[in-house]
Amino acid sequence: EGKATVTLPDTAGTYYLTAVSTDSSKIIMNPIQIEVKENYTKNIAKKYSSNGVIGTSNEPWLVADLMKYDSITGSTSMTAQQKQDYLDWVYSKVKANDTNPVSAGDLSKYILSIVSMGYSPANIIVKDKNNITAKTINLYDYLKKYINTESTISEYTLPYVILAMDTYQGSDKDAYINILLEQAIAAKDRWMNTSWGPDALSPMLL
């Protein structure tokens, strides 16, 4: 008796697994047929590793997905430059809209994606063409400003704002979380209403 670890190829196809004695004179295990399906997840990750996430219209969630994929597989789906490009892109989105701020939902997605990269949304570093630090930005400040000025945040957005602020490490974190939880309680009749589906309920239960 014994144990063996078998690593199958990523290429889809039919493979046969068997075991023989050291001198190959005796079959220890009859052949087993194994079907390897196409690894769609790997192919998707490979696509965005090659092309980057900028311009996909779903940048934050793709970044978070790739970082989760990497944590599971040990892969590296985004190069250091692609990560910096994403930080620069986030900066441009936030700063370009100083007079017409980006939504709380977008800010929350930016924060969650940057946390997934292992970076701090409190200190986003933007670099110039010579790779020298040019500017920094604190995304939490923008989100806190939104929470302070908006009496009600959409029940579809609120769960992600709560998740984003939960990653905040400032001394006033609890105060902001409490404001958001009070809004969630006040809006419970809306997000608990599943007549239009569980879109608001499911993330709130996170």
Side-chain angles (χ1 to χ4, degrees):
E1 293 184 3
K3 294 181 179 180
T5 300
V6 178
T7 302
L8 294 171
D10 290 327
T11 308
T14 301
Y15 300 89
Y16 295 90
L17 176 65
T18 188
V20 297
S21 59
T22 304
D23 60 3
S24 301
S25 64
K26 181 181 179 182
I27 296 178
I28 301 173
M29 183 182 75
N30 290 327
I32 298 174
Q33 180 175 316
I34 300 174
E35 296 289 338
V36 175
K37 303 297 184 182
E38 185 173 1
N39 192 330
Y40 294 104
T41 304
K42 181 177 181 180
N43 290 341
I44 292 171
K46 183 178 179 180
K47 171 186 175 181
Y48 292 109
S49 292
S50 301
N51 303 329
V53 301
I54 307 301
T56 61
S57 75
N58 202 21
E59 291 86 353
W61 292 145
L62 283 173
V63 168
D65 288 345
L66 289 173
M67 295 303 100
K68 185 61 177 179
Y69 173 80
D70 287 354
S71 72
I72 294 172
T73 64
S75 305
T76 302
S77 297
M78 293 179 71
T79 64
Q81 186 57 55
Q82 286 175 329
K83 290 179 179 180
Q84 185 62 57
D85 289 344
Y86 179 68
L87 296 179
D88 294 347
W89 178 85
V90 168
Y91 179 89
S92 69
K93 288 292 184 180
V94 175
K95 294 301 291 183
N97 293 281
D98 269 347
T99 56
N100 183 25
V102 294
S103 69
D106 283 343
L107 283 169
S108 299
K109 288 188 288 185
Y110 298 157
I111 288 171
L112 292 172
S113 63
I114 290 168
V115 169
S116 76
M117 295 166 67
Y119 298 153
S120 170
N123 187 33
I124 302 303
I125 299 174
V126 182
K127 298 187 177 182
D128 63 15
K129 63 182 179 181
N130 296 316
N131 205 35
I132 299 174
T133 299
K135 301 174 183 177
T136 61
I137 186 174
N138 186 333
L139 295 185
Y140 293 117
D141 286 346
Y142 283 83
L143 188 55
K144 288 194 293 183
K145 186 183 300 183
Y146 200 104
I147 296 170
N148 285 331
T149 56
E150 293 293 324
S151 58
T152 303
I153 297 175
S154 164
E155 62 269 25
Y156 295 100
T157 299
L158 187 55
Y160 302 104
V161 179
I162 294 173
L163 288 172
M165 283 306 297
D166 192 47
T167 68
Y168 175 55
Q169 300 298 318
S171 60
D172 52 350
K173 171 181 176 176
D174 288 346
Y176 281 98
I177 292 293
N178 287 337
I179 291 173
L180 296 171
L181 292 179
E182 287 174 2
Q183 287 193 30
I185 293 171
K188 63 183 177 62
D189 289 341
R190 297 200 304 274
W191 58 263
M192 291 177 67
N193 182 352
T194 59
S195 59
W196 294 95
D199 292 16
L201 175 64
S202 297
M204 189 66 78
L205 293 178
L206 291 174

